[in-house]
């Protein structure tokens, strides 16, 4: 059913215009390959306290890839802790509610105002990641709302859906969500055992047929020929614990070493993101 | 929903359960061994109106029915650059034409999960269906089975119904039922050729299975090539260093960490193309002639233990004289300090909801236990082999 | 597909080979599920439904998409009968997905809820809820009747006191409204094909009596034909009641023989063979 309270765009989908030079570039095979070393994440910009009306907020921006795509831009606001409504039954812990929403213009395909399954799924992952870091029993009978809007999703103009790239993009978005939400929680002054940050690592097949698959952190799917597997990890560095793990891909069971390496790289990516997070928080305090 | 549903256990009960599950070997409330599954009753082909159906009933009374229905749908032609993915697709032996690559689209599979008492856009329901479809679509091979010709494809609808109220986290049940339904699913035999409008054989007996069976006549001597199988998602939890499979609701309520691990099985031919060590893989399959397992997805499940009420140690319980005689403010303050430390430190035998995450080593071991040769995934797939598919 | 009504007048046989007053095969089972308080499985021809009853219990903290009907909420003097119907996507020939807010389903829910609330002794369970959850696995006409019968059986299995069986079935007429055929015969137990073409009604009666508990007629039909249809329907309900009763008795005997339950007082006259 159409949402009548808002002015919606036209019904039906249209493809954005594609300019002539893009396909030529494709056909020549000049696809911008990854220029960063395999274990370095992209630069990111993080700032807390961007929304004055919220009790805590943060904004995260990750630089775009070389392929003329868009970077990731996230804004997170935390409301609470506040008392639960009267009708809610007693809870000995703080009740987290996470809400992840892509802006309608965030991706190539327009998103509606009603949350779609991917967004709900992201919300569940985020909740799992954060619940491990929050000291929940300090706030009985209260709730906190964490609202993330993805202002600009990471997507390249020339990516083709047939490669299943959307799924890998979701992982990058999740890792950004975890980092930004953690910063916003810290800004709101909610007690956590540690700052949690997200990191992504992927097993990729680069262009060139006989190249062995390699593991890279913070992958951009369009920079690689094929992504075989990826994982997103939320990691607490001081406790050396993982609060959320999401692995997806296709790995033979005999290759457990690859899996272990992938997880390690994911943790490494998460640690790098955590340094940015801690620096940002120190800056705010100091 | 689901994983964080109400657990009606007192802190004392939780502490007792946690303690007994942390022993080596762990003692489970129903006396199972750590890797043992609950007994179940399974049947397939229960609904003649569907392309494939299955029903599984666990011993605790939870029951699920899955129906698979396929409809022919016209493939939407994309105005993308067709040159992009042609090289990436491994060409299929069915076609001699260069352009006729068999390729699938994730939109061709639609999965709905119905859990009584929960809305279908509830976060937990969405999480369950995302997890199940993620595993199914992970290798990209499944949707290729739905390809008819360049203009048409099968649209597969998977309807997963939980009949009973969700007594325990329904993930393993739903996954096993889906697995069986997909194994039992058949699509009508195609009579038309090439890209003309598809015409199908009316004879249901001639309809091929969606997942072709290994040839029956090949006994163990000939070692039939392991056929591809739909994925199975297993629920694993850890208490301390103990790893426990197929947890019941009560056991899940004291879990330190819970993982859903999806495992698939592919035919050996497709393995070598993506495997990093093709030669090693081939040797492995020949040696074991067992299951050619593949890890498809791992997800952390938010354990409900984080929402359980904590117990109060005697030191801070006023009924045991914690605040007795605390008249002067000095002493009160001191006691508040104590309460603070008591809050952060675990007291032996007093339940406290776990904080933080899980050690990476524990998580790695959990996945390892599923995947190792002769591990739980092997056992489960062997057991599912025993289900009669009619 | 248009129904060949002329064929009926020749051989007096319907599309599936039945006579006008014949029921389809009814197969039912009770206590199909261990976890629930009461459960049943019922087939009427190719219509297959499952029912799970939980309660009477305290109303839970959340009240999902159930339609409270019959008698008030959880705070009233009577138990609330909450019915929840899930129509599986694969149940019909063409897959059709109905959302939870579907008006047709809501109406079915409230009809069943009110019918059962009148038959169950809800006044014995104040401040509580009886949750009836119905799953439609396959549809071939007479859906409401099958749902009512399954719910009745599950309530019997749950041991909820009730006045009598609520047995339901459908009745129709051999020619369409437009045909305006005076000599139209009534039909018993319509299948999907007949339901599409011909006028029909669903009737449920209370036990052996002729008292009608539910009467739903959603098609145009001449008033003169209604009485005949109703008479045939009520007669069908009695047959259905016999079948349901037999199912319950057989299960009871089996349970006594297996020693699941003790032989109660007053059961001495029952034949246990």
């Amino acid at each position: 059913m159409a949402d009548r309270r808002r002015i919606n765009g036209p019904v039906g989908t249209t493809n954005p215009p594609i300019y002539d030079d893009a396909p030529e570039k494709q056909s020549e095979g000049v696809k911008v390959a990854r220029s960063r070393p395999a274990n370095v994440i992209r630069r990111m910009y993080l700032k807390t306290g961007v929304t004055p009306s919220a009790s805590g907020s943060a904004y995260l921006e990750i630089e775009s890839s070389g392929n003329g795509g868009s970077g990731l831009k996230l804004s997170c606001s935390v409301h609470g802790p506040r008392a639960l409504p009267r009708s809610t039954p007693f809870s000995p812990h703080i009740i987290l509610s996470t809400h992840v929403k892509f802006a309608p213009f965030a991706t190539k395909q327009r998103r509606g105002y009603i949350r779609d399954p991917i967004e709900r799924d992201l919300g569940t992952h985020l909740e799992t990641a954060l619940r491990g870091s929050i000291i929940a029993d300090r706030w009985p009978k209260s709730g906190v709302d964490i609202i993330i809007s993805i202002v600009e999703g990471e997507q390249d103009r020339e990516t083709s859906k047939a490669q299943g790239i959307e799924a890998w993009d979701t992982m990058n978005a999740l890792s950004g969500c975890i980092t930004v939400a953690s910063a916003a929680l810290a800004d709101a002054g909610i007690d956590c055992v540690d700052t949690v940050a997200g990191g992504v690592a992927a097993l990729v097949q680069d262009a060139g047929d006989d190249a062995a698959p390699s593991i890279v952190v913070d992958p951009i799917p369009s920079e690689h020929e094929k992504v075989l597997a990826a994982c997103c990890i939320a990691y607490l560095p001081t406790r050396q614990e993982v609060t959320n793990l999401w692995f997806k891909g296709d790995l033979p069971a005999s290759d457990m070493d690859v899996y272990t390496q992938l997880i390690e790289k994911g943790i490494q990516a998460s640690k790098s993101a955590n340094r940015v997070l801690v620096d940002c928080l120190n800056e705010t305090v100091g | 929903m689901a994983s964080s549903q109400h657990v009606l256990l007192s802190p004392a009960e939780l502490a007792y359960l946690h303690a007994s599950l942390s022993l080596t070997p762990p003692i489970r409330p129903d006396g199972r061994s750590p890797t043992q599954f609950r007994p179940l009753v399974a049947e397939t082909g229960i609904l003649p109106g569907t392309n494939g159906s299955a029903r599984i009933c666990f011993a605790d009374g939870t029951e699920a029915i899955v129906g698979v229905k396929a409809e022919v749908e016209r493939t939407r032609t994309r105005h993308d650059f067709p040159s992009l993915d042609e090289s990436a697709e491994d060409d299929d032996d069915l076609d001699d034409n260069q352009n006729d690559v068999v390729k699938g689209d994730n939109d061709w599979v639609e999965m709905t999960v119905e859990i009584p008492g929960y809305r279908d856009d509830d976060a937990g329901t969405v999480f369950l269906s995302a997890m199940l479809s993620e595993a199914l679509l992970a290798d990209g091979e499944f949707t290729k089975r739905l390809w008819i010709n360049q203009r048409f494809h099968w649209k597969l609808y998977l309807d997963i119904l939980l009949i009973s109220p969700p007594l325990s986290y329904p993930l393993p049940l739903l996954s096993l039922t889906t697995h069986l339904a997909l194994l039992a699913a058949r699509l009508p035999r195609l009579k038309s050729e090439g890209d003309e409008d598809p015409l199908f054989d009316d004879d249901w007996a001639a309809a091929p299975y969606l997942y072709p069976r290994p040839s029956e006549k090949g006994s163990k001597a000939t070692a039939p090539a392991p056929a591809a199988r739909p994925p199975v998602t297993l629920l694993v939890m850890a208490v301390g260093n103990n790893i426990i499979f197929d947890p019941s609701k009560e056991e899940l309520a004291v879990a330190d960490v819970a993982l859903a691990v999806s495992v698939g099985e592919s035919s050996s031919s497709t393995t070598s193309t993506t495997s990093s060590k093709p030669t090693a893989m081939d040797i492995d399959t020949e040696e074991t002639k067992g299951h050619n397992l593949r890890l498809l997805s791992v997800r952390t499940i938010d354990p409900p233990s984080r929402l359980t009420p904590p117990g109060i140690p005697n030191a801070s319980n006023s009924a045991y004289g914690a605040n007795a005689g605390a008249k002067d403010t000095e002493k009160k303050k001191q006691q508040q300090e104590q309460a603070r430390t008591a809050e952060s430190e675990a007291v032996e035998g007093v339940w406290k909801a776990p904080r933080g995450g899980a050690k990476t080593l524990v998580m790695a071991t959990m996945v390892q236990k599923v995947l190792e040769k002769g591990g739980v995934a092997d056992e489960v797939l062997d057991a599912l082999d025993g289900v009669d598919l009619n | 597909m248009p129904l060949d009504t002329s064929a009926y007048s020749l051989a007096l046989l319907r599309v599936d080979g039945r006579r006008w007053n014949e029921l389809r095969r009814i197969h039912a089972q009770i206590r199909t599920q261990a976890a629930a308080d009461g459960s049943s499985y019922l087939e009427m021809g190719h219509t297959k439904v499952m029912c799970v009853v939980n309660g009477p219990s305290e109303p839970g903290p959340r009240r999902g998409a159930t339609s409270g009907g019959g008698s008030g909420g959880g705070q009233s003097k009577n138990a609330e009968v909450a019915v929840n119907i899930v129509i599986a996507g694969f149940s019909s020939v063409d897959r059709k997905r109905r959302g939870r807010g579907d008006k047709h389903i809501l109406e079915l829910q409230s009809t069943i809820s009110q019918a059962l609330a009148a038959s169950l002794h809800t006044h014995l369970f104040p401040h509580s809820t009886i949750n009836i959850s119905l799953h439609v696995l396959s549809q071939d006409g007479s859906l409401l009747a099958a749902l009512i019968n399954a719910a009745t059986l599950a309530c019997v299995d749950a041991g909820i006191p009730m006045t009598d069986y609520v047995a339901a079935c459908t009745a129709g007429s051999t020619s369409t409204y437009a045909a305006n055929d005076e000599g139209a015969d009534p039909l018993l137990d319509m299948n999907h094909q007949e339901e599409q073409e011909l006028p029909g009604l669903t009737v449920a009666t209370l036990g052996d009596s002729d008292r009608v508990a539910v009467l739903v007629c959603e098609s145009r039909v001449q008033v003169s034909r209604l009485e005949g249809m109703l008479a045939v329907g009520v007669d069908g309900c009695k047959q259905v009641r016999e079948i349901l009763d037999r199912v319950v008795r057989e299960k009871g005997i089996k349970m006594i023989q297996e020693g699941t339950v003790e032989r109660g007082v007053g059961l001495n006259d029952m034949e246990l063979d």
Side-chain angles (χ1 to χ4, degrees):
Chain A
M1 195 166 55
D3 191 345
R4 270 172 295 178
R5 279 167 298 177
R6 296 187 181 91
I7 300 166
N8 278 306
V11 189
T13 56
T14 53
N15 284 334
I18 293 163
Y19 300 103
D20 268 351
D21 55 339
E24 274 172 29
K25 216 164 103 189
Q26 280 299 332
S27 57
E28 283 164 26
V30 191
K31 209 157 127 186
V32 178
R34 187 186 171 101
S35 50
R36 288 172 288 139
N39 54 358
V40 172
I41 62 168
R42 279 174 288 168
R43 286 185 298 167
M44 57 169 87
Y45 172 79
L46 184 64
K47 187 173 166 60
T48 55
V50 289
T51 317
S53 57
S55 39
S57 60
Y59 173 78
L60 175 78
E61 192 170 327
I62 298 178
E63 68 173 346
S64 59
S65 70
N67 277 358
S70 55
L72 187 66
K73 296 188 179 74
L74 301 165
S75 127
C76 173
S77 54
V78 172
H79 299 273
R82 54 186 173 198
L84 288 172
R86 251 167 214 287
S87 55
T88 339
F90 172 77
S91 156
H93 300 288
I94 197 163
I95 291 181
L96 272 181
S97 72
T98 51
H99 194 103
V100 179
K101 185 78 194 85
F102 279 91
F105 45 79
T107 48
K108 198 161 137 189
Q109 211 112 42
R110 181 181 176 272
R111 306 264 178 169
Y113 286 101
I114 298 161
R115 281 195 293 165
D116 67 5
I118 292 177
E119 288 159 350
R120 287 175 194 279
D121 193 25
L122 277 178
T124 321
H125 277 296
L126 181 65
E127 190 182 329
T128 312
L130 295 179
R131 200 175 268 159
S133 79
I134 288 183
I135 305 178
D137 41 16
R138 296 249 168 106
W139 285 278
K141 299 187 274 184
S142 46
V144 61
D145 294 321
I146 296 155
I147 295 150
I148 293 186
S149 50
I150 303 178
V151 184
E152 194 166 7
E154 189 174 10
Q155 214 169 33
D156 285 309
R157 233 177 35 210
E158 293 121 25
T159 51
S160 121
K161 220 178 135 206
Q163 275 175 301
I165 274 176
E166 202 178 319
W168 310 120
D169 276 339
T170 317
M171 246 176 210
N172 277 342
L174 175 64
S175 93
C177 285
I178 294 169
T179 314
V180 75
S182 179
L185 278 177
D187 187 40
I190 292 173
D191 300 6
C192 293
V193 289
D194 195 2
T195 50
V196 63
V200 183
L203 179 70
V204 295
Q205 177 93 54
D206 274 319
D209 287 332
D210 41 80
S214 57
I215 298 177
V216 295
V217 302
D218 194 14
I220 301 173
S222 63
E223 286 179 352
H224 305 285
E225 184 71 29
K226 200 173 180 190
V227 180
L228 300 174
C231 73
C232 177
I233 287 181
Y235 187 69
L236 303 168
T238 51
R239 294 170 71 104
Q240 301 187 340
E241 285 176 346
V242 174
T243 61
N244 187 32
L245 162 68
W246 181 20
F247 166 87
K248 193 178 153 155
D250 189 13
L251 271 188
S254 49
D255 279 2
M256 272 304 284
D257 295 346
V258 178
Y259 172 74
T260 319
Q261 281 170 27
L262 200 61
I263 301 292
E264 271 166 17
K265 289 281 182 184
I267 290 172
Q268 194 195 337
S270 168
K271 279 179 177 164
S272 311
N274 216 313
R275 273 197 290 278
V276 177
L277 176 58
V278 169
D279 280 351
C280 166
L281 293 177
N282 281 337
E283 210 172 279
T284 321
V285 173
Chain B
M1 174 218 69
S3 83
S4 55
Q5 57 196 308
H6 286 269
V7 184
L8 298 169
L9 289 177
S10 68
E13 286 169 314
L14 290 169
Y16 172 78
L17 201 55
H18 189 269
S20 66
L21 288 176
S22 332
L23 297 171
T24 26
I27 296 171
R28 303 177 70 169
D30 45 8
R32 283 184 284 161
S33 75
T35 55
Q36 202 177 352
F37 274 64
R38 286 169 285 185
L40 57 86
V41 179
E43 53 181 332
T44 58
I46 48 163
L47 298 165
T50 58
N51 290 68
S53 57
R55 166 179 169 266
I56 289 188
C57 223
F58 270 171
D60 66 350
T62 48
E63 181 180 7
I65 289 183
V66 172
V68 181
K69 220 166 164 79
E71 284 175 6
V72 177
E73 200 180 64
R74 191 179 281 271
T75 309
R76 255 188 306 150
T77 47
R78 266 201 220 90
H79 305 289
D80 288 350
F81 330 107
S83 60
L84 227 169
D85 24 50
E86 243 171 60
S87 52
E89 297 286 344
D90 39 341
D91 49 335
D92 207 272
D93 42 351
L94 286 171
D95 306 289
D96 36 18
N97 194 341
Q98 270 291 315
N99 287 331
D100 266 11
V101 275
V102 175
K103 53 179 174 181
D105 194 319
N106 289 355
D107 289 345
W108 296 357
V109 181
E110 197 178 306
M111 188 180 272
T112 55
V113 178
E114 286 271 8
I115 293 177
Y118 292 95
R119 291 163 56 90
D120 48 2
D121 56 353
D122 182 275
T125 317
V126 170
F127 191 70
L128 278 174
S129 84
M131 196 155 26
L132 292 171
S133 55
E134 174 180 276
L136 190 62
L137 303 173
D139 57 356
E141 295 291 321
F142 178 70
T143 47
K144 286 184 189 168
R145 296 173 195 276
L146 304 175
W147 188 87
I148 299 174
N149 57 35
Q150 284 218 300
R151 291 168 51 227
F152 292 93
H153 63 261
W154 288 108
K155 170 113 185 182
L156 207 66
Y157 295 95
L158 277 157
D159 290 286
I160 303 173
L161 301 187
L162 188 67
I163 302 287
S164 60
L167 293 175
S168 52
Y169 193 56
L171 176 70
L173 172 69
L174 299 185
S175 162
L176 293 181
T177 321
T178 314
H179 177 93
L180 285 180
L182 282 170
L183 268 187
R186 301 208 266 181
L187 297 174
R189 196 171 64 85
L190 190 66
K191 268 173 33 182
S192 57
E193 286 172 358
D195 284 346
E196 60 193 41
D197 287 2
L199 243 167
F200 297 98
D201 198 343
D202 281 340
D203 186 7
W204 184 245
Y209 283 96
L210 187 59
Y211 280 91
R213 298 292 144 74
S215 51
E216 290 294 324
K217 54 182 181 276
S219 61
K220 276 185 184 169
T222 52
R229 295 260 295 261
V232 172
T233 307
L234 303 173
L235 190 61
V236 196
M237 69 167 225
V239 173
N241 286 325
N242 286 332
I243 288 153
I244 292 164
F245 283 86
D246 189 28
S248 66
K249 183 187 178 187
E250 289 77 20
E251 288 167 333
L252 202 58
V254 296
D256 290 340
V257 57
L259 282 187
V261 184
S262 302
V263 178
E265 189 186 0
S266 62
S267 48
S268 44
S269 58
T270 55
T271 320
S272 50
T273 56
T274 50
S275 167
S276 54
K277 296 180 283 184
T279 45
M281 269 306 303
D282 287 345
I283 293 165
D284 275 355
T285 44
E286 272 166 38
E287 269 173 4
T288 55
K289 70 170 169 33
H291 299 286
N292 186 5
L293 295 180
R294 303 186 73 81
L295 179 64
L296 297 177
S297 103
V298 178
R299 279 181 182 224
T300 319
I301 311 270
D302 198 11
S305 52
R306 287 188 182 144
L307 293 172
T308 46
I312 299 162
N314 286 349
S316 55
N317 191 344
S318 57
Y320 284 83
N323 286 332
K327 287 220 174 84
D328 47 334
T329 48
E330 190 69 17
K331 205 171 178 186
K332 218 173 204 169
K333 206 172 246 172
Q334 202 181 346
Q335 255 156 6
Q336 271 174 356
E337 286 294 301
Q338 276 177 0
R340 262 286 152 86
T341 50
E343 188 201 340
S344 51
E345 277 168 31
V347 182
E348 178 73 31
V350 177
W351 173 250
K352 205 166 119 321
R355 244 180 227 170
K359 297 283 179 213
T360 41
L361 199 64
V362 174
M363 281 198 166
T365 324
M366 288 163 89
V367 178
Q368 175 88 50
K369 277 234 178 185
V370 175
L371 290 176
E372 63 193 359
K373 292 276 170 220
V376 177
D378 265 348
E379 265 175 47
V380 169
L381 287 172
D382 278 338
L384 287 171
D385 272 338
V387 178
D388 180 33
L389 298 166
N390 41 2
Chain C
M1 200 197 314
L3 194 62
D4 197 358
T5 38
S6 60
Y8 177 78
S9 59
L10 290 176
L12 297 181
L13 288 175
R14 292 151 70 175
V15 272
D16 49 6
R18 282 180 291 155
R19 306 254 174 217
W20 65 273
N21 62 348
E22 280 174 348
L23 287 171
R24 288 177 289 175
R25 188 183 86 105
I26 296 183
H27 169 76
Q29 275 175 283
I30 61 170
R31 191 150 297 199
T32 52
Q33 212 209 359
D37 290 324
S39 54
S40 68
Y41 171 74
L42 183 111
E43 289 179 17
M44 284 176 85
H46 290 299
T47 302
K48 299 175 185 173
V49 295
M50 267 183 141
C51 182
V52 173
V53 171
N54 274 300
S57 56
E58 251 182 79
R62 64 187 159 68
R63 300 185 52 194
T66 48
S67 90
S71 44
Q75 297 306 313
S76 76
K77 284 192 294 178
N78 295 334
E80 179 195 2
V81 181
V83 178
N84 185 25
I85 300 178
V86 175
I87 298 188
F90 49 77
S91 63
S92 47
V93 176
D94 295 316
R95 188 182 183 283
K96 191 156 118 197
R97 180 150 167 71
R98 291 179 183 279
R100 255 172 220 273
D102 189 275
K103 293 284 191 307
H104 180 61
I105 293 181
L106 289 181
E107 195 188 339
L108 288 177
Q109 285 178 180
S110 80
T111 310
I112 296 167
S113 166
Q114 280 168 13
L116 286 172
S119 169
L120 296 170
H121 290 236
T122 51
H123 61 276
L124 296 174
F125 310 101
H127 313 294
S128 48
T129 312
I130 300 167
N131 274 306
I132 300 180
S133 137
L134 287 152
H135 297 263
V136 180
L137 305 180
S138 167
Q139 302 185 59
D140 185 26
S142 304
L143 181 63
L144 177 58
L147 290 173
I148 292 175
N149 293 337
T152 305
L153 280 180
C155 284
V156 171
D157 183 31
I160 303 168
M162 57 202 291
T163 44
D164 209 332
Y165 291 91
V166 184
C169 83
T170 51
S173 185
T174 47
S175 69
T176 57
Y177 172 81
N180 207 0
D181 179 8
E182 281 304 313
D185 276 344
L187 295 176
L188 184 63
D189 194 15
M190 301 167 79
N191 63 22
H192 178 71
Q193 214 180 347
E194 289 167 335
E195 255 180 11
Q196 294 295 99
E197 295 284 325
L198 304 171
L201 53 81
T202 302
V203 61
T205 60
L206 207 56
D208 258 340
S209 66
D210 281 344
R211 288 166 61 199
V212 172
V214 174
L215 179 59
V216 178
C217 179
E218 288 169 325
S219 50
R220 278 163 76 106
V221 60
Q222 276 85 0
V223 181
S224 55
R225 293 197 218 165
L226 193 66
E227 198 184 335
M229 284 161 68
L230 198 54
V232 167
V234 168
D235 185 56
C237 288
K238 282 184 187 156
Q239 293 181 46
V240 172
R241 187 205 170 267
E242 288 304 312
I243 295 168
L244 299 186
D245 194 47
R246 200 163 62 230
V247 169
V248 172
R249 281 178 197 281
E250 274 170 10
K251 183 70 187 178
I253 290 169
K254 212 180 201 176
M255 282 166 70
I256 291 170
Q257 281 170 343
E258 285 168 358
T260 329
V261 285
E262 276 188 33
R263 194 190 178 103
V265 194
L267 284 175
N268 297 324
D269 52 337
M270 219 155 112
E271 292 166 36
L272 294 182
D273 50 357

